[in-house]
């Protein structure tokens, strides 16, 4: 079994690669819900939807969000009526939000709804929200505190970020299946996907108990850098790093995850970063343009997992034996 920690686009690409080179039912994708919000009376979970659409082969590759084969009658009509149109919802996509909202209102949990909708869309791997409790990412910017989607979509990531908070995280419980998988001896690896560390992965790590469970996990933890040659492939990762006083690089991301990482995959172009990284570093082509790229990177991650698992088990045995002798 493999656990993948994921945000939206970058995480979903690697999760798709993994799902194609291993039995998909052995992949558990734990998804950030800090981006979730309520809009036009609907409960929207952007990262869960990106992961689900991607794994189901329904994602809109041109837009980078939403569904392919989309129509826009709802948005056009909203515009004509003077309604809110800054967050674009395609007609097919809309159906998902309407159905999720209905079920949540009827008392189903986000994981129950996600599980069923993923099954109906033909998603092979198990996709779970990091928690069923509400967590909302908020950003302190030069325009004050902003809700995540206000910053990300309405203001197009233009505001300068000085602090990120995960409202509700302190009281949230991690998804029980995530915790159970981390303690399962059959777990082969935890993959920290190439997602934005500040707004996609750290919300997951902010839930009480998650960091401890990861540190205590017998399986290796392998990260993949979302930064290639100092730049994000997409989105505000590098810009945020600069604004938060960090040098945008693959090494800086590794430092954010420091004590968690057993292995870290960076791009060939970032070879100079190797010395600054305190984990076993693997060089690869980490830009996933084609399906072959996704599968090739996933293979490298799983090969690394295999080697690092044996190493981690041996180290633990040595420590235990040394402890017994003391
Ligand atoms: P979001 O929630 O949709 O912003 O998605 P993520 O946080 O999962 O993804 C954004 C991050 O993915 C950015 O930092 C990108 O640089 C990274 N990313 C996107 N595509 C790729 C890729 O092909 N390779 C790598 N290494 N990173 C990628």
């Amino acid at each position: 079994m493999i656990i993948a920690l994921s945000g939206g686009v970058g995480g979903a690409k690697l999760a798709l690669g993994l799902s194609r080179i291993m039995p998909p039912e052995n992949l558990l994708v734990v998804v950030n819900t800090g981006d979730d919000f309520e809009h036009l009376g609907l409960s929207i979970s952007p990262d869960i939807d990106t992961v689900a659409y991607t794994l189901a082969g329904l994602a809109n590759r041109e837009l980078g969000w939403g569904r392919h084969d989309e129509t826009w009658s709802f948005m056009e009509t909203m515009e004509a009526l003077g309604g809110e149109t800054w967050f674009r919802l395609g007609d097919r996509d809309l159906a998902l939000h309407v159905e999720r909202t209905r079920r949540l209102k009827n008392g189903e949990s986000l994981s129950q709804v996600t599980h069923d909708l993923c099954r109906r869309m033909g998603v092979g791997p198990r996709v779970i929200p990091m928690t069923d409790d509400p967590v909302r990412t908020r950003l302190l910017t030069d325009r004050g505190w902003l809700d995540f989607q206000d910053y990300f979509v309405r203001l197009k990531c233009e505001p300068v970020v000085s602090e990120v908070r995960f409202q509700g995280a302190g009281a949230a419980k991690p998804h029980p299946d995530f915790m159970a998988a981390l303690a399962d001896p059959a777990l082969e690896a935890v993959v920290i996907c190439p997602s934005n560390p500040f707004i996609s992965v750290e919300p997951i790590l902010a839930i009480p108990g998650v960091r401890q469970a990861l540190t205590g996990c017998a399986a290796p933890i392998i990260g993949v850098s979302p930064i290639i040659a100092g730049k994000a492939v997409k989105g505000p990762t590098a810009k945020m790093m600069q604004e938060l006083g960090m040098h945008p690089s693959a090494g800086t991301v590794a430092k954010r995850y420091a004590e968690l990482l057993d292995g870290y995959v960076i791009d060939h172009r970032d070879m100079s970063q190797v010395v600054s990284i305190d984990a076993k570093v693997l060089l690869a082509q980490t830009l996933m343009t084609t399906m072959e790229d996704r599968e090739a990177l996933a293979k490298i991650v799983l090969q690394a997992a295999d080697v690092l698992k044996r190493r981690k088990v041996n180290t633990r045995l040595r420590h235990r034996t040394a402890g017994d002798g003391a």
Side-chain angles (χ1 to χ4, degrees):
M1 189 193 3
I2 302 284
I3 298 176
L5 307 187
S6 176
V9 177
K13 281 180 174 179
L14 185 59
L16 177 61
L18 287 165
S19 75
R20 290 171 60 93
I21 61 156
M22 60 180 279
E25 62 279 11
N26 292 350
L27 177 63
L28 177 70
V29 190
V30 179
V31 185
N32 167 46
T33 56
D35 299 8
D36 291 15
F37 75 129
E38 289 71 39
H39 183 59
L40 307 176
L42 302 170
S43 298
I44 302 184
S45 297
D47 283 356
I48 288 183
D49 296 347
T50 299
V51 169
Y53 287 153
T54 302
L55 293 175
L58 297 173
N60 188 322
R61 300 267 296 265
E62 288 77 52
L63 286 178
W65 50 269
R67 285 180 69 137
H68 70 57
D69 194 20
E70 189 57 284
T71 55
W72 300 94
S73 303
F74 172 71
M75 272 289 114
E76 284 158 18
T77 314
M78 278 295 267
E79 195 157 10
L81 296 174
E84 276 195 56
T85 54
W86 60 271
F87 194 87
R88 316 262 318 143
L89 294 168
D91 301 331
R92 291 182 194 281
D93 190 30
L94 182 62
L96 178 74
H97 309 307
V98 170
E99 180 56 9
R100 172 166 42 224
T101 306
R102 184 188 71 78
R103 293 194 190 188
L104 290 174
K105 283 206 173 120
N106 276 350
E108 283 184 53
S109 66
L110 181 59
S111 22
Q112 284 170 326
V113 178
T114 304
H115 182 65
D116 188 55
L117 295 179
C118 280
R119 186 182 60 78
R120 288 170 189 273
M121 288 191 281
V123 173
R126 190 93 207 275
V127 177
I128 59 172
M130 62 187 195
T131 176
D132 274 322
D133 301 316
V135 175
R136 297 292 176 263
T137 298
R138 307 223 338 125
L139 303 110
L140 181 59
T141 71
D142 55 350
R143 302 187 207 181
W145 278 103
L146 296 172
D147 288 340
F148 181 77
Q149 297 299 343
D150 255 359
Y151 163 79
F152 200 71
V153 179
R154 197 169 63 80
L155 298 170
K156 304 183 178 68
C157 307
E158 280 160 10
V160 176
V161 175
S162 50
E163 195 182 327
V164 184
R165 281 201 194 153
F166 310 116
Q167 197 177 297
K173 288 174 292 304
H175 196 292
D177 294 356
F178 176 26
M179 291 296 102
L182 285 174
D184 191 330
L187 182 67
E188 294 292 330
V190 179
V191 181
I192 304 182
C193 287
S195 288
N196 186 318
F198 310 105
I199 52 179
S200 290
V201 178
E202 287 178 5
I204 306 178
L205 303 179
I207 301 175
V210 169
R211 268 186 185 274
Q212 294 88 318
L214 284 167
T215 326
C217 164
I221 303 178
I222 299 157
V224 178
S225 175
I227 296 284
I228 303 176
K231 295 197 177 73
V233 178
K234 187 184 161 288
T237 310
K239 176 179 178 281
M240 285 176 89
M241 259 183 205
Q242 244 151 2
E243 292 166 0
L244 293 166
M246 296 166 218
H247 175 64
S249 71
T252 305
V253 180
K255 281 200 188 78
R256 296 292 297 183
Y257 301 143
E259 80 287 356
L260 297 177
L261 290 179
D262 296 292
Y264 192 57
V265 184
I266 64 173
D267 200 84
H268 291 296
R269 282 176 272 176
D270 290 314
M271 186 130 65
S272 64
Q273 300 281 310
V274 175
V275 285
S276 71
I277 299 170
D278 192 18
K280 171 87 185 132
V281 178
L282 291 108
L283 295 169
Q285 185 199 308
T286 61
L287 181 62
M288 295 172 279
T289 309
T290 64
M291 191 62 83
E292 289 72 37
D293 295 338
R294 289 162 173 74
E295 290 176 10
L297 185 56
K299 270 186 200 142
I300 286 171
V301 170
L302 292 194
Q303 279 160 5
D306 196 37
V307 173
L308 290 169
K309 179 156 193 194
R310 271 177 276 143
R311 189 184 287 185
K312 199 163 177 177
V313 167
N314 287 340
T315 311
R316 284 181 171 229
L317 278 175
R318 269 204 303 278
H319 281 158
R320 204 171 298 157
T321 317
D324 288 348

